[in-house]
């Protein structure tokens, strides 16, 4: 966790010297709001990775939940109900993935790749690529106005993230996730049910993605049907950069928070540093590759293979 913290501090220091305009209140506010949804999606991805799995359908789930939020709002569902309904949509999508991975024993990479394609193409067919428009006034900013709405979104995201971090550290369910990711067979012999844990983490990731989609959707007057493009890459990168082992069993949500902050800052920083924004994805890819190689180099099997 020290490496991403140092990298983030170095980036912020460079911006303070070269581009002090980065620190204007409006830019920091937008940066914070833009990363609330990735934070929740990354938290869900972290839980999945801790259990030794992967989910590359996160972005597609985000799109489905975003459109669902808009359509439910147009049907008259109040914002309070959407706080529950939209995460339930995400949870259902996550449960479908979890059932195939845990019960049918299909590799997670295969299940979630197929799920991503089905959800993206299915949503494109249903919406014909059209955005959700004509949203009720009570939907944007939860009907509270921009300032109060922003405060509520921030409080909800921070509270959910903090509660999940505490649960992972202090509750038996959190320890079961770590144990399953470290060694599923040893976890089973210790009396745990690895299949149930795997099913649960996919469902939880879906709920968090759904909540993130809702908190993001209420910021705008229209909802794109292709929302969440590349979100899975950002979520995986944030978790791995934050110190989460891609093989499972090691990492923390606080490390993921640092990963989200660093990756989320890069795009805006490039603009202030007058660098082409198209470099953002390349830089994110390089960061995640460096993090994976660094983590792999610390594994005994890697060192033994390298020595041989």
């Amino acid at each position: 966790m020290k490496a991403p913290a140092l990298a983030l501090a170095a980036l912020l220091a460079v911006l303070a010297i070269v581009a002090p305009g980065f620190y204007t209140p409006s830019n920091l506010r937008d940066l914070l709001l833009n990363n609330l949804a990735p934070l929740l999606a990354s938290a869900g991805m972290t839980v999945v990775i801790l259990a030794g799995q992967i989910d590359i359908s996160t972005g597609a789930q985000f799109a489905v939940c975003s459109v669902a939020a808009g359509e439910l709002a147009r049907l008259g569902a109040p914002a309070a109900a959407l706080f529950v309904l939209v995460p339930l949509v995400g949870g259902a999508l996550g449960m479908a993935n979890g059932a195939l991975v845990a019960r049918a024993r299909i590799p997670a990479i295969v299940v979630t790749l197929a799920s991503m394609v089905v959800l993206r193409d299915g949503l494109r067919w249903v919406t014909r690529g059209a955005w959700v428009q004509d949203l009720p006034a009570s939907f944007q900013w939860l009907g509270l106005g921009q300032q109060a709405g922003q405060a509520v979104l921030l409080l909800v995201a921070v509270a959910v993230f903090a509660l999940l971090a505490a649960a992972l550290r202090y509750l038996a369910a959190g320890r079961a996730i770590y144990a399953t990711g470290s060694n599923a067979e040893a976890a089973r012999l210790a009396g745990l049910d690895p299949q149930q844990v795997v099913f649960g983490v996919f469902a939880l990731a879906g709920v968090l993605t759904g909540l993130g989609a809702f908190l993001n959707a209420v910021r705008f007057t229209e909802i794109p049907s292709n929302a969440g493009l590349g979100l899975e890459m950002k979520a995986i990168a944030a978790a791995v950069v934050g110190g989460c082992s891609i093989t499972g069993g090691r990492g923390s949500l606080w490390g993921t928070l640092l990963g989200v902050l660093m990756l989320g800052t890069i795009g805006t920083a490039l603009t202030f540093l007058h660098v082409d924004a198209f470099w953002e994805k390349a830089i994110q890819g390089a960061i995640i590759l460096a993090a994976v190689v660094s983590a792999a180099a610390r594994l005994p099997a890697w060192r033994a293979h390298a020595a041989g």
Side-chain angles (χ1 to χ4, degrees):
M1 213 163 96
K2 292 181 180 179
L6 291 174
L8 177 61
L11 176 59
L12 293 176
V14 169
L15 288 169
I17 298 171
V18 179
F22 176 86
Y23 291 96
T24 60
S26 60
N27 182 63
L28 293 178
R29 180 196 63 221
D30 290 343
L31 186 63
L32 188 61
L33 291 172
N34 289 339
N35 283 285
L36 291 183
L39 176 65
L40 292 174
S42 298
M45 185 67 74
T46 298
V47 175
V48 170
I49 293 176
L50 286 175
Q53 305 296 327
I54 197 73
D55 187 349
I56 58 173
S57 67
T58 299
Q61 291 182 30
F62 187 90
V64 171
C65 291
S66 297
V67 171
E71 293 296 346
L72 288 170
R74 294 200 332 176
L75 290 173
L82 293 176
F83 262 114
V84 177
L85 293 175
V86 180
L88 284 178
V89 172
L93 298 175
M95 289 170 66
N97 285 339
L100 291 172
V101 175
R103 308 303 181 191
R105 305 296 181 90
I106 304 175
I109 187 70
V110 175
V111 169
T112 58
L113 176 61
S115 176
M116 177 184 69
V117 174
V118 169
L119 292 177
R120 282 288 182 195
D121 288 348
L123 189 61
R124 188 179 298 114
W125 178 77
V126 170
T127 64
R128 297 292 190 269
W131 291 25
V132 181
Q133 300 176 324
D134 302 321
L135 295 167
S138 60
F139 180 76
Q140 190 177 26
W141 300 116
L142 308 173
L144 301 174
Q146 186 169 351
Q147 287 190 338
Q150 289 174 353
V152 171
L153 299 190
L154 178 60
L155 287 174
V156 169
V158 170
V160 170
F161 184 88
L163 286 172
L164 181 59
L168 274 178
R169 181 169 183 177
Y170 298 111
L171 296 186
R175 293 191 291 272
I177 292 172
Y178 279 100
T180 299
S182 295
N183 190 318
E185 180 60 20
R188 185 186 67 78
L189 294 175
L192 300 175
D193 185 349
Q195 291 184 2
Q196 190 61 35
V197 172
V198 170
F199 176 81
V201 296
F202 276 102
L204 178 58
V207 169
L208 292 170
T209 298
L211 179 59
F214 174 60
L215 296 183
N216 183 72
V218 298
R219 298 172 53 208
F220 307 104
T221 57
E222 298 178 340
I223 300 174
S225 57
N226 64 344
L229 287 173
L231 180 61
E232 57 282 335
M233 171 66 175
K234 182 175 288 187
I236 294 170
V240 174
V241 168
C244 194
S245 173
I246 199 67
T247 58
R250 182 172 60 83
S252 75
L253 282 181
W254 299 114
T256 297
L257 173 60
L258 286 174
V260 170
L261 290 174
M262 184 169 70
L263 294 171
T265 302
I266 288 174
T268 305
L270 291 177
T271 301
F272 279 89
L273 295 174
H274 306 292
V275 177
D276 196 323
F278 288 111
W279 281 99
E280 180 181 2
K281 298 299 182 184
I283 293 173
Q284 288 180 353
I287 289 173
I288 189 173
L289 179 61
V292 170
V293 170
S294 176
R298 295 194 294 268
L299 294 176
W302 173 280
R303 290 197 296 266
H305 177 73

